[in-house]
Amino acid sequence: MKVIEVSAPATIANLGPGYDLMGMALDSPRDHLRVCLAEGGKDEIEVEGIGGDSISAVPDLNAAMVAGRAVLRETGIRNRSLKMHLKKGVPPRMGMGSSGASSAAGAFAVNVLLGKPLNEMQVLKCAMEGERASCGAPHADNVAPSLLGGIILILNYDPLEVMRFKPVTGVEVVEVAPVVKLADNKTKKAREVLPSAVALATVVAQMSSFATLLMGVANGDPKTMGSGISGDRIVEPARAKLIPGFFEVKRAAIEGGAFGCSISGAGPSVFALSPAGKGTEIGERMKEAFMSAGVNSSFTIHKMSEEGAKVV
Ligand code: HSE
């Protein structure tokens, strides 16, 4: 029986206006996944760790298992089963790419166990199946940075094509997690509140923000990147209604000196791009703003990371 242990990092998807198109890997936390490839038998998964009791251990519903199975299917391997042990480090349903980290870990681990028959884009496609199982939509803006590290731009979904950028330096990422009631299928619900059509003027403004974000990332310029992050005109206004005090928290971050601020992935966490060394002060301000809206919260400070999924 072959065994491997891998880990995959938390991510922040969208980065403001880059809905389903951009995401970045964080230095921590990570999901850890141990996988055994057995002859015959049934797929099985055990889940423990942060929020592990809220993650399904039914193989068909578990992102890591669904992604791992996709690799077996893609490589035409039958009569084998996967025994997985998932230790969650990325808190589920908070907007830090929890299902993406599990999916990336699942696809990555099985591909390595098999001797890497699939290339990066094929593994990414398999990891996206984990996202499909989690929220119904196989988007790549969490799984791609969790798998590959760095900041990822999805150039195209069909055929799948991504571009990877180095982390922007001289910054900290402040992640503020509010204590709010979460729907069971949080990401699916957060996608359902989005408008199905928008006015041309809104599209033009959104393109301007996305271009600003992209130029900031490509040039390693945190000020421009932050300005882009703050400029989402479509997704953020719709989802802000799900996060009490969001606009006050965003204002507190910007007035506190953050380069930019928006919803972390599908929320409810809010993230800010802060100058290095100022993250704690900005996090305290954001926490206070949540408190003024009657919401408890806590914050953590991160760095962007080059490192995606890896064997441990
Ligand atoms: N792009 C996704 C969304 C990320 O915003 O719904 C969360 O999974």
Side-chain angles (χ1 to χ4, degrees):
M1 193 152 64
K2 288 183 176 172
V3 185
I4 196 171
E5 188 167 339
V6 307
S7 74
T11 52
I12 296 180
N14 301 337
L15 303 181
Y19 177 71
D20 280 0
L21 295 177
M22 281 199 89
M24 65 185 180
L26 299 179
D27 57 348
S28 66
R30 286 181 159 255
D31 276 6
H32 283 76
L33 181 70
R34 197 171 61 240
V35 184
C36 308
L37 184 65
E39 297 289 338
K42 282 190 176 157
D43 294 334
E44 286 165 24
I45 181 159
E46 291 168 359
V47 187
E48 62 154 333
I50 295 171
D53 50 359
S54 69
I55 304 285
S56 178
V58 175
D60 287 350
L61 304 178
N62 183 280
M65 181 61 84
V66 169
R69 279 175 167 176
V71 174
L72 289 186
R73 204 168 46 245
E74 191 66 24
T75 46
I77 291 179
R78 292 195 187 85
N79 304 324
R80 301 280 180 92
S81 65
L82 297 170
K83 315 291 179 199
M84 293 187 168
H85 182 97
L86 174 62
K87 186 169 180 195
K88 291 296 301 172
V90 184
R93 301 193 298 163
M94 290 312 296
M96 293 184 78
S98 169
S99 57
S102 298
S103 302
F108 177 79
V110 176
N111 192 47
V112 175
L113 264 182
L114 296 176
K116 299 194 182 168
L118 303 185
N119 65 31
E120 269 183 355
M121 284 309 99
Q122 290 172 314
V123 176
L124 177 54
K125 262 198 132 151
C126 293
M128 286 165 63
E129 290 304 314
E131 287 288 51
R132 190 201 298 276
S134 296
C135 77
H139 53 287
D141 51 339
N142 288 119
V143 278
S146 190
L147 190 64
L148 307 172
I151 305 175
I152 299 286
L153 165 67
I154 292 131
L155 292 170
N156 199 15
Y157 270 98
D158 189 17
L160 189 59
E161 208 181 333
V162 306
M163 191 175 270
R164 185 177 180 280
F165 297 89
K166 282 193 175 308
V168 173
T169 53
V171 295
E172 289 170 347
V173 180
V174 186
E175 182 80 16
V176 189
V179 182
V180 289
K181 199 170 172 334
L182 295 170
D184 270 349
N185 207 335
K186 185 261 321 178
T187 300
K188 187 164 183 282
K189 295 232 160 80
R191 294 176 80 87
E192 283 167 2
V193 301
L194 302 180
S196 54
V198 291
L200 181 61
T202 310
V203 173
V204 172
Q206 187 80 347
M207 284 200 294
S208 150
S209 297
F210 188 61
T212 305
L213 167 66
L214 202 49
M215 290 310 292
V217 169
N219 292 332
D221 167 7
K223 204 161 164 249
T224 307
M225 181 181 177
S227 167
I229 286 172
S230 294
D232 178 9
R233 307 291 209 286
I234 298 174
V235 175
E236 184 184 283
R239 287 182 172 168
K241 298 179 188 104
L242 306 174
I243 307 170
F246 170 75
F247 289 112
E248 290 76 8
V249 172
K250 180 170 178 172
R251 190 177 324 121
I254 301 297
E255 286 176 4
F259 294 121
C261 176
S262 190
I263 298 169
S264 181
S269 294
V270 178
F271 81 103
L273 194 66
S274 151
K278 278 204 81 172
T280 302
E281 185 192 327
I282 289 171
E284 290 292 353
R285 282 174 178 254
M286 294 169 76
K287 195 174 153 185
E288 266 173 39
F290 261 131
M291 187 53 84
S292 301
V295 179
N296 280 321
S297 65
S298 58
F299 69 88
T300 45
I301 309 287
H302 308 265
K303 289 231 169 352
M304 298 178 206
S305 175
E306 283 268 33
E307 223 170 31
K310 62 178 181 182
V311 177
V312 293

